[in-house]
Amino acid sequence: MKRKSPQVKISKHKSVLIGAVLILAGFSILFFSIGLNTKRGKAEVVSPEPETNPKTNTVPSPPLAMTPRPSDKPIMVPQPSPAPESPQKSDDKTATPDVPQSPSVVPPGKSDREKPAVVPPPVSPPAAKKSGKLIFIFDDAGNSLKQAKLFLELPFPITIAVLPGLPESKATAAAVRAAGKEVFLHQPMQAVDLSINPGPGSIQPDMTTGEAARIVRKNIAEIGPIAGMNNHEGSLITADRNLIGAVLDVCIDEKIIFLDSRTSSKTQAPFAAMERGMHIWERDVFLDNKPVKAEMRTMIEKGLAIADKKGYAIMIGHVQTPPLAELLNQIYADLKNQGYVFTTLSRMKK
């Protein structure tokens, strides 16, 4: 005979309370499980399944993921050095010079600009050679042939102007021609200072134009043939248009040159020549008013400057100044190398 277990009687009110507690416990467990699964899903990084290489039947190793922290500096990856370029200043005016950039960091969309080659400064061309013509005339010859010989030995064309009526006038003129140099008549004329004696064969202010012409012809006959003439003293006569005109008439007849030594700023020779349609020459520089080499060199340089400007310079010295001949011998080669041309008035084109 089976034994019956004792039955426990539970009131209806207690049964409802227990059921409610169990239901709440079940919902709590369910919500807790859902929340736990959500947190795990966020923490896990689901990577796509790598594909298998069909040729090698291998799975490539996944790249290492490097997630830099905000506080980390950017990692500079070394890059191959570019080919050397010529130095150039950047054209980017917005670049800040105080913040240097790494050579490996290139702003997107920009490339290095090629820099122009450094061009050396242009070389100055050599100074152009001079081409001015230099005409040297040496006055007052005729007193001593020895004085003239120093100038006749100069290695370039010159003109010797010979005074008439002196002991060695004819011999000096002949020696000048024999040396291949040019002869002028150094025609004496009265100066404004009447105490100055211009010497034999001079033109005086009380002469007529006919007398003046006859004196000039006589002097030419003594020392000729000549290429031309210039005045010795003559500040008074050259200021007289009639008398100097008579001299120019003889030059036209004899087809010889007239050079105005310009011993006076009041000379009428240019005006008398214009009236006759005649071309005459005028002195530019007196070389030996102070017969010291330094002073004479200064005057020669003045003549060179004139030749550079107008193409020629007429310079007058005197045979009584031997240091002038020495100086010209010393500087001749240098002047020639510079390009200056030594010539005479008879070789000049009018």
Side-chain angles (χ1 to χ4, degrees):
M1 183 174 180
K2 291 183 181 179
R3 188 178 178 181
K4 291 182 182 179
S5 58
Q7 294 180 353
V8 179
K9 292 182 180 181
I10 302 173
S11 66
K12 187 178 179 179
H13 179 73
K14 289 182 179 180
S15 298
V16 173
L17 181 61
I18 293 170
V21 170
L22 291 175
I23 290 171
L24 290 174
F27 275 111
S28 298
I29 293 169
L30 178 61
F31 288 140
F32 177 78
S33 298
I34 291 172
L36 183 62
N37 289 336
T38 302
K39 290 182 181 180
R40 287 179 180 176
K42 289 181 180 180
E44 292 178 358
V45 178
V46 180
S47 302
E49 185 177 359
E51 296 181 0
T52 304
N53 190 330
K55 293 183 180 181
T56 60
N57 198 25
T58 59
V59 178
S61 300
L64 296 177
M66 300 180 68
T67 306
R69 292 176 296 175
S71 60
D72 290 342
K73 296 181 180 179
I75 299 174
M76 298 300 165
V77 180
Q79 296 182 358
S81 300
E85 297 180 355
S86 303
Q88 175 190 10
K89 294 182 179 179
S90 174
D91 293 334
D92 191 359
K93 296 182 180 179
T94 62
T96 305
D98 296 337
V99 184
Q101 293 184 350
S102 169
S104 63
V105 178
V106 180
K110 291 187 179 181
S111 60
D112 292 338
R113 299 175 182 177
E114 293 187 1
K115 302 173 183 180
V118 177
V119 180
V123 179
S124 299
K129 274 203 164 190
K130 308 291 186 180
S131 59
K133 293 179 171 61
L134 308 181
I135 298 99
F136 288 95
I137 299 170
F138 303 101
D139 286 351
D140 295 353
N143 277 303
S144 167
L145 181 56
K146 184 178 180 180
Q147 284 180 339
K149 281 185 177 179
L150 284 174
F151 293 88
L152 295 179
E153 292 169 359
L154 289 171
F156 53 86
I158 63 167
T159 299
I160 300 290
V162 182
L163 289 164
L166 299 179
E168 298 193 22
S169 294
K170 292 186 69 172
T172 299
V176 173
R177 285 188 289 270
K181 309 298 186 183
E182 188 166 271
V183 180
F184 267 22
L185 168 64
H186 196 34
Q187 176 59 50
M189 301 180 188
Q190 183 58 52
V192 172
D193 184 354
L194 298 178
S195 65
I196 296 175
N197 179 8
S202 65
I203 299 174
Q204 294 297 317
D206 57 351
M207 288 182 176
T208 64
T209 56
E211 291 173 331
R214 283 193 293 273
I215 287 286
V216 173
R217 293 182 188 279
K218 176 178 178 293
N219 294 338
I220 291 174
E222 178 187 356
I223 63 170
I226 59 174
M229 73 171 69
N230 66 335
N231 53 291
H232 172 64
E233 298 293 348
S235 55
L236 183 58
I237 302 304
T238 56
D240 185 322
R241 188 176 298 194
N242 291 327
L243 287 176
I244 195 62
V247 174
L248 296 183
D249 287 337
V250 174
C251 292
I252 292 172
D253 291 344
E254 299 290 331
K255 296 181 175 56
I256 58 176
I257 297 164
F258 182 79
L259 167 65
D260 186 355
S261 299
R262 292 196 63 85
T263 55
S264 171
S265 60
K266 297 178 180 180
T267 178
Q268 294 296 302
F271 303 104
M274 288 177 62
E275 291 172 351
R276 291 161 173 77
M278 177 186 181
H279 175 83
I280 66 172
W281 301 93
E282 296 179 290
R283 183 263 314 162
D284 291 306
V285 179
F286 274 127
L287 296 176
D288 53 356
N289 285 341
K290 296 180 180 179
V292 179
K293 277 189 178 181
E295 295 290 340
M296 292 188 292
R297 190 179 187 105
T298 298
M299 299 312 294
I300 290 172
E301 289 172 356
K302 182 179 179 181
L304 298 179
I306 293 171
D308 292 340
K309 185 175 181 180
K310 72 173 185 177
Y312 70 91
I314 300 172
M315 294 177 266
I316 294 181
H318 299 83
V319 295
Q320 304 97 312
T321 314
L324 178 56
E326 296 170 3
L327 176 60
L328 288 170
N329 260 318
Q330 292 167 1
I331 66 175
Y332 164 68
D334 180 55
L335 295 179
K336 184 179 179 182
N337 288 337
Q338 290 184 48
Y340 289 106
V341 177
F342 293 78
T343 189
T344 60
L345 287 178
S346 64
R347 301 179 187 181
M348 292 283 288
K349 292 182 180 180
K350 297 180 181 180

